[in-house]
Amino acid sequence: MSFIDDDIRREVITEIYRQVDELDWDGMSLRERSEYYVRWIDDPLIGGKLGRFIERDRIRVWIKDGPIKELSRARHGIGSYAQFTAHQYPGMDEIARQAIGQEWRSDADTLEVKPNRCLVRGPGANALMIWGSATKLADLVWAAINARVDGGAEPIIVITSPQGTRLSDGEKQRHQLIAEVAGVELRHITLRLART
């Protein structure tokens, strides 16, 4: 891809994330999202600016493989795109407190991604908290199994759901059964986007 001026790149990503916040992106179907990729190509604040650096037929790919692909991590305050979000989910400490207990704190120095995981410390114990959405369950379980094989802190999977979305009791039960087969503890929590 061509070089994109840093200021333009920042402006475009910030605008995409601003619009995503207004759209209830998490609740949109793939078809609805696809329609927005097309709109963004013609949007003067997005495609209009990118068009000076990228061919028109590559703008959609740039948006999808960049800002949108990184949206979940950015909303969790992780990665280089986090600086562009106006709304974020609670951080690792709050996820640990909500999922495991009020005394638990994350160790930011141990953060790893794909999937998100870090060491959390509680009263007299440590755990490896592995978290993400239900759509990432296979990745979360695989990371937990590998953590058990590698030794160290006992893994705990935390399924995070954005406020306004709801997993059925059947889905939650299935997640629990999968975790039991893998020999790993699993918890469900709901996260609310808050202005940063």
Side-chain angles (χ1 to χ4, degrees):
M1 274 191 209
S2 301
F3 168 79
I4 300 173
D5 176 80
D6 285 340
D7 290 336
I8 298 296
R9 183 178 170 278
R10 282 192 290 274
E11 290 171 14
V12 168
I13 295 169
T14 301
E15 178 62 18
I16 291 168
Y17 284 172
R18 185 193 68 74
Q19 290 188 29
V20 161
D21 284 345
E22 292 178 357
L23 293 171
D24 182 29
W25 189 258
D26 295 326
M28 293 172 71
S29 70
L30 293 177
R31 183 172 179 232
E32 291 169 323
R33 289 181 182 189
S34 185
E35 291 171 6
Y36 269 91
Y37 291 129
V38 173
R39 288 184 192 180
W40 287 335
I41 292 169
D42 294 326
D43 187 320
L45 298 176
I46 299 172
K49 290 182 178 185
L50 290 173
R52 299 188 333 227
F53 304 96
I54 303 174
E55 294 176 25
R56 181 177 170 79
D57 62 343
R58 301 287 302 153
I59 292 173
R60 177 188 173 112
V61 173
W62 185 90
I63 293 169
K64 190 172 181 180
D65 289 350
I68 298 301
K69 185 176 183 180
E70 292 296 319
L71 178 62
S72 178
R73 279 186 285 282
R75 283 180 166 175
H76 283 284
I78 298 169
S80 61
Y81 285 77
Q83 63 185 309
F84 304 114
T85 61
H87 293 85
Q88 289 186 353
Y89 291 117
M92 298 178 290
D93 273 343
E94 182 56 33
I95 292 171
R97 283 192 291 272
Q98 190 176 340
I100 307 169
Q102 287 298 314
E103 312 83 17
W104 290 79
R105 299 292 180 267
S106 64
D107 181 346
D109 293 335
T110 64
L111 175 66
E112 293 184 56
V113 295
K114 297 184 183 181
N116 296 334
R117 58 198 183 279
C118 71
L119 195 64
V120 290
R121 303 180 193 285
N126 293 332
L128 179 66
M129 182 175 72
I130 305 167
W131 75 96
S133 68
T135 61
K136 304 290 186 198
L137 181 61
D139 295 330
L140 303 176
V141 170
W142 184 245
I145 290 169
N146 277 291
R148 294 201 74 194
V149 168
D150 294 340
E154 192 63 24
I156 297 175
I157 296 172
V158 180
I159 301 291
T160 58
S161 299
Q163 185 177 24
T165 62
R166 185 171 158 356
L167 295 173
S168 71
D169 290 339
E171 288 172 304
K172 289 181 179 180
Q173 185 177 28
R174 183 168 181 82
H175 297 163
Q176 291 292 348
L177 291 171
I178 290 169
E180 285 176 27
V181 168
V184 178
E185 188 173 346
L186 182 141
R187 313 244 172 116
H188 290 93
I189 65 170
T190 300
L191 298 179
R192 181 171 185 237
L193 276 173
R195 188 153 190 80
T196 54

